[in-house]
Amino acid sequence: MMIAIEAQSAVRALYTKCAATPQDYWQQRCERALDECLRNPLRATPWMHQVRNALANAKKVLDQRDEIIQAVPFDDVADTYAPTFTDAFAAIDIMLWLERTNGITAPERAILQDLAAGEDAESLADRANVPVTSMRQKISRARSSARRAWTTDMAV
């Protein structure tokens, strides 16, 4: 199959953008934009315009989906199923980000994952055989590093 040079460049740029962001929203947006570019392989429009237009069209679709979802009642969903859809998806996104980010060290990642799993400073201190105050300092540093990494990663 033939694909124009400009379309190839647009697809390459979108793949790069998609690979560079751990955020689920941007992953979905890039995937939709890639689909649009690949549906039009002979388009000779400059690649930057193709990327901009495809991302804008993808944003419209995702925004429309969000509007429709907000209008759908979820009253029949049992409270024990999940805290809220928003909270559950946010937690999943954060856990996936935590696994993939390069902005924190492996020990910080382990501490944050243990905290997310329900551990507390006392249980982590017992397991590591360190004083609780020392563990609280490690937790504080890990959270601080995670905030910095999150800010950096989300600025992509």
Side-chain angles (χ1 to χ4, degrees), residues 70-100:
Q70 290 175 8
V72 175
F74 288 105
D75 296 338
D76 58 338
V77 177
D79 289 338
T80 57
Y81 179 72
T84 67
F85 284 105
T86 306
D87 292 345
F89 287 128
I92 290 168
D93 280 346
I94 291 170
M95 292 302 291
L96 289 172
W97 169 81
L98 189 57
E99 290 175 11
R100 296 179 181 151

Short mmCIF file of all heavy atoms in Angstrom, two decimals, residues 70-100:
data_model
loop_
_atom_site.label_atom_id
_atom_site.label_comp_id
_atom_site.label_asym_id
_atom_site.label_seq_id
_atom_site.Cartn_x
_atom_site.Cartn_y
_atom_site.Cartn_z
N GLN A 70 -21.82 11.46 30.92
CA GLN A 70 -22.32 12.20 32.07
C GLN A 70 -23.84 12.21 32.11
O GLN A 70 -24.43 12.34 33.18
CB GLN A 70 -21.78 13.63 32.06
CG GLN A 70 -20.30 13.69 32.35
CD GLN A 70 -19.74 15.09 32.21
OE1 GLN A 70 -20.46 16.05 32.04
NE2 GLN A 70 -18.42 15.19 32.28
N ALA A 71 -24.47 12.06 30.96
CA ALA A 71 -25.93 12.07 30.90
C ALA A 71 -26.54 10.70 31.20
O ALA A 71 -27.74 10.60 31.42
CB ALA A 71 -26.40 12.55 29.51
N VAL A 72 -25.72 9.66 31.22
CA VAL A 72 -26.22 8.31 31.47
C VAL A 72 -26.31 8.08 32.97
O VAL A 72 -25.33 8.24 33.69
CB VAL A 72 -25.29 7.25 30.83
CG1 VAL A 72 -25.73 5.85 31.19
CG2 VAL A 72 -25.23 7.44 29.33
N PRO A 73 -27.49 7.70 33.48
CA PRO A 73 -27.61 7.47 34.92
C PRO A 73 -26.97 6.13 35.31
O PRO A 73 -27.16 5.12 34.65
CB PRO A 73 -29.12 7.43 35.15
CG PRO A 73 -29.69 7.03 33.84
CD PRO A 73 -28.76 7.56 32.78
N PHE A 74 -26.22 6.16 36.37
CA PHE A 74 -25.61 4.95 36.90
C PHE A 74 -26.19 4.60 38.27
O PHE A 74 -25.53 3.99 39.09
CB PHE A 74 -24.09 5.12 37.02
CG PHE A 74 -23.38 5.13 35.69
CD1 PHE A 74 -22.90 6.31 35.16
CD2 PHE A 74 -23.20 3.96 34.99
CE1 PHE A 74 -22.24 6.33 33.94
CE2 PHE A 74 -22.54 3.95 33.77
CZ PHE A 74 -22.06 5.14 33.24
N ASP A 75 -27.43 5.00 38.52
CA ASP A 75 -28.06 4.77 39.81
C ASP A 75 -28.24 3.29 40.12
O ASP A 75 -28.27 2.90 41.28
CB ASP A 75 -29.43 5.46 39.86
CG ASP A 75 -29.29 6.97 39.77
OD1 ASP A 75 -28.20 7.49 40.07
OD2 ASP A 75 -30.27 7.62 39.37
N ASP A 76 -28.36 2.46 39.08
CA ASP A 76 -28.60 1.05 39.31
C ASP A 76 -27.33 0.27 39.63
O ASP A 76 -27.38 -0.90 39.94
CB ASP A 76 -29.29 0.42 38.09
CG ASP A 76 -28.47 0.59 36.82
OD1 ASP A 76 -27.63 1.51 36.76
OD2 ASP A 76 -28.69 -0.20 35.89
N VAL A 77 -26.18 0.94 39.60
CA VAL A 77 -24.92 0.29 39.94
C VAL A 77 -24.79 0.27 41.46
O VAL A 77 -24.91 1.29 42.11
CB VAL A 77 -23.73 1.03 39.30
CG1 VAL A 77 -22.42 0.38 39.73
CG2 VAL A 77 -23.86 1.05 37.79
N ALA A 78 -24.53 -0.91 42.00
CA ALA A 78 -24.44 -1.05 43.46
C ALA A 78 -23.24 -0.26 43.99
O ALA A 78 -22.20 -0.17 43.35
CB ALA A 78 -24.28 -2.52 43.82
N ASP A 79 -23.40 0.32 45.18
CA ASP A 79 -22.33 1.09 45.80
C ASP A 79 -21.11 0.22 46.10
O ASP A 79 -19.99 0.72 46.15
CB ASP A 79 -22.81 1.74 47.10
CG ASP A 79 -23.79 2.87 46.84
OD1 ASP A 79 -23.78 3.42 45.72
OD2 ASP A 79 -24.55 3.18 47.75
N THR A 80 -21.31 -1.06 46.27
CA THR A 80 -20.19 -1.93 46.60
C THR A 80 -19.38 -2.32 45.37
O THR A 80 -18.30 -2.87 45.48
CB THR A 80 -20.69 -3.23 47.26
OG1 THR A 80 -21.63 -3.87 46.37
CG2 THR A 80 -21.37 -2.93 48.58
N TYR A 81 -19.89 -2.00 44.18
CA TYR A 81 -19.19 -2.36 42.94
C TYR A 81 -17.86 -1.62 42.83
O TYR A 81 -16.83 -2.20 42.56
CB TYR A 81 -20.08 -2.08 41.73
CG TYR A 81 -19.42 -2.39 40.42
CD1 TYR A 81 -19.20 -3.71 40.03
CD2 TYR A 81 -18.98 -1.38 39.59
CE1 TYR A 81 -18.58 -4.00 38.84
CE2 TYR A 81 -18.36 -1.66 38.39
CZ TYR A 81 -18.17 -2.98 38.02
OH TYR A 81 -17.54 -3.26 36.84
N ALA A 82 -17.89 -0.31 43.02
CA ALA A 82 -16.68 0.52 42.97
C ALA A 82 -16.98 1.82 43.70
O ALA A 82 -18.13 2.25 43.75
CB ALA A 82 -16.29 0.80 41.52
N PRO A 83 -15.97 2.47 44.26
CA PRO A 83 -16.22 3.72 44.97
C PRO A 83 -16.95 4.72 44.07
O PRO A 83 -18.02 5.16 44.40
CB PRO A 83 -14.83 4.22 45.34
CG PRO A 83 -13.94 3.04 45.26
CD PRO A 83 -14.56 2.10 44.28
N THR A 84 -16.36 5.07 42.96
CA THR A 84 -17.00 5.82 41.88
C THR A 84 -16.22 5.49 40.63
O THR A 84 -15.04 5.11 40.71
CB THR A 84 -16.97 7.35 42.10
OG1 THR A 84 -15.62 7.78 42.01
CG2 THR A 84 -17.59 7.77 43.40
N PHE A 85 -16.85 5.64 39.50
CA PHE A 85 -16.13 5.35 38.26
C PHE A 85 -14.93 6.28 38.12
O PHE A 85 -13.85 5.87 37.76
CB PHE A 85 -17.06 5.50 37.05
CG PHE A 85 -18.00 4.34 36.91
CD1 PHE A 85 -19.33 4.47 37.25
CD2 PHE A 85 -17.55 3.12 36.46
CE1 PHE A 85 -20.19 3.41 37.12
CE2 PHE A 85 -18.40 2.04 36.34
CZ PHE A 85 -19.73 2.18 36.67
N THR A 86 -15.12 7.54 38.43
CA THR A 86 -14.05 8.51 38.29
C THR A 86 -12.88 8.15 39.20
O THR A 86 -11.73 8.13 38.76
CB THR A 86 -14.55 9.93 38.63
OG1 THR A 86 -15.69 10.21 37.83
CG2 THR A 86 -13.49 10.96 38.38
N ASP A 87 -13.16 7.84 40.47
CA ASP A 87 -12.09 7.49 41.41
C ASP A 87 -11.36 6.22 40.98
O ASP A 87 -10.15 6.15 41.05
CB ASP A 87 -12.65 7.31 42.82
CG ASP A 87 -13.15 8.61 43.41
OD1 ASP A 87 -12.82 9.68 42.87
OD2 ASP A 87 -13.89 8.55 44.41
N ALA A 88 -12.13 5.23 40.54
CA ALA A 88 -11.52 3.96 40.15
C ALA A 88 -10.60 4.14 38.94
O ALA A 88 -9.49 3.63 38.93
CB ALA A 88 -12.61 2.93 39.85
N PHE A 89 -11.06 4.87 37.94
CA PHE A 89 -10.23 5.08 36.76
C PHE A 89 -9.03 5.96 37.07
O PHE A 89 -7.94 5.74 36.55
CB PHE A 89 -11.05 5.68 35.61
CG PHE A 89 -11.98 4.67 34.99
CD1 PHE A 89 -13.32 4.96 34.84
CD2 PHE A 89 -11.51 3.44 34.56
CE1 PHE A 89 -14.18 4.04 34.27
CE2 PHE A 89 -12.36 2.51 33.99
CZ PHE A 89 -13.70 2.81 33.85
N ALA A 90 -9.19 6.95 37.93
CA ALA A 90 -8.07 7.80 38.31
C ALA A 90 -7.01 6.96 39.02
O ALA A 90 -5.81 7.11 38.76
CB ALA A 90 -8.54 8.95 39.19
N ALA A 91 -7.43 6.07 39.91
CA ALA A 91 -6.49 5.23 40.64
C ALA A 91 -5.75 4.30 39.69
O ALA A 91 -4.53 4.11 39.81
CB ALA A 91 -7.22 4.41 41.71
N ILE A 92 -6.46 3.75 38.72
CA ILE A 92 -5.82 2.87 37.74
C ILE A 92 -4.79 3.65 36.92
O ILE A 92 -3.68 3.19 36.70
CB ILE A 92 -6.88 2.21 36.83
CG1 ILE A 92 -7.70 1.21 37.64
CG2 ILE A 92 -6.23 1.53 35.63
CD1 ILE A 92 -8.93 0.71 36.94
N ASP A 93 -5.18 4.84 36.46
CA ASP A 93 -4.25 5.67 35.69
C ASP A 93 -2.99 5.98 36.50
O ASP A 93 -1.88 5.92 35.98
CB ASP A 93 -4.91 6.98 35.26
CG ASP A 93 -5.79 6.82 34.05
OD1 ASP A 93 -5.70 5.77 33.38
OD2 ASP A 93 -6.57 7.73 33.77
N ILE A 94 -3.16 6.31 37.76
CA ILE A 94 -2.01 6.64 38.61
C ILE A 94 -1.13 5.42 38.83
O ILE A 94 0.09 5.52 38.77
CB ILE A 94 -2.48 7.26 39.94
CG1 ILE A 94 -3.07 8.65 39.67
CG2 ILE A 94 -1.32 7.34 40.94
CD1 ILE A 94 -3.79 9.27 40.85
N MET A 95 -1.73 4.27 39.05
CA MET A 95 -0.94 3.05 39.25
C MET A 95 -0.17 2.68 37.99
O MET A 95 1.00 2.29 38.06
CB MET A 95 -1.84 1.88 39.69
CG MET A 95 -2.44 2.06 41.08
SD MET A 95 -1.20 2.27 42.38
CE MET A 95 -0.48 0.65 42.41
N LEU A 96 -0.81 2.82 36.82
CA LEU A 96 -0.09 2.56 35.57
C LEU A 96 1.04 3.56 35.36
O LEU A 96 2.13 3.20 34.94
CB LEU A 96 -1.07 2.60 34.39
CG LEU A 96 -2.04 1.45 34.30
CD1 LEU A 96 -3.07 1.69 33.21
CD2 LEU A 96 -1.31 0.14 34.06
N TRP A 97 0.77 4.82 35.67
CA TRP A 97 1.82 5.83 35.57
C TRP A 97 2.97 5.50 36.50
O TRP A 97 4.13 5.61 36.12
CB TRP A 97 1.25 7.22 35.89
CG TRP A 97 2.32 8.23 36.06
CD1 TRP A 97 2.98 8.91 35.08
CD2 TRP A 97 2.90 8.67 37.30
NE1 TRP A 97 3.93 9.74 35.64
CE2 TRP A 97 3.90 9.61 36.99
CE3 TRP A 97 2.66 8.35 38.63
CZ2 TRP A 97 4.66 10.23 37.98
CZ3 TRP A 97 3.42 8.97 39.60
CH2 TRP A 97 4.40 9.90 39.27
N LEU A 98 2.64 5.08 37.71
CA LEU A 98 3.66 4.77 38.71
C LEU A 98 4.57 3.65 38.23
O LEU A 98 5.78 3.67 38.46
CB LEU A 98 2.98 4.38 40.02
CG LEU A 98 3.83 4.21 41.26
CD1 LEU A 98 4.62 5.48 41.54
CD2 LEU A 98 2.95 3.86 42.45
N GLU A 99 4.03 2.67 37.51
CA GLU A 99 4.83 1.58 36.98
C GLU A 99 5.76 2.04 35.87
O GLU A 99 6.84 1.48 35.69
CB GLU A 99 3.93 0.47 36.43
CG GLU A 99 3.17 -0.29 37.48
CD GLU A 99 2.20 -1.29 36.88
OE1 GLU A 99 2.27 -1.54 35.65
OE2 GLU A 99 1.37 -1.82 37.62
N ARG A 100 5.34 3.05 35.10
CA ARG A 100 6.07 3.42 33.88
C ARG A 100 6.97 4.62 34.00
O ARG A 100 7.87 4.80 33.18
CB ARG A 100 5.06 3.68 32.77
CG ARG A 100 4.28 2.47 32.39
CD ARG A 100 3.30 2.81 31.30
NE ARG A 100 2.52 1.64 30.96
CZ ARG A 100 1.31 1.68 30.50
NH1 ARG A 100 0.71 2.84 30.30
NH2 ARG A 100 0.66 0.57 30.21
#
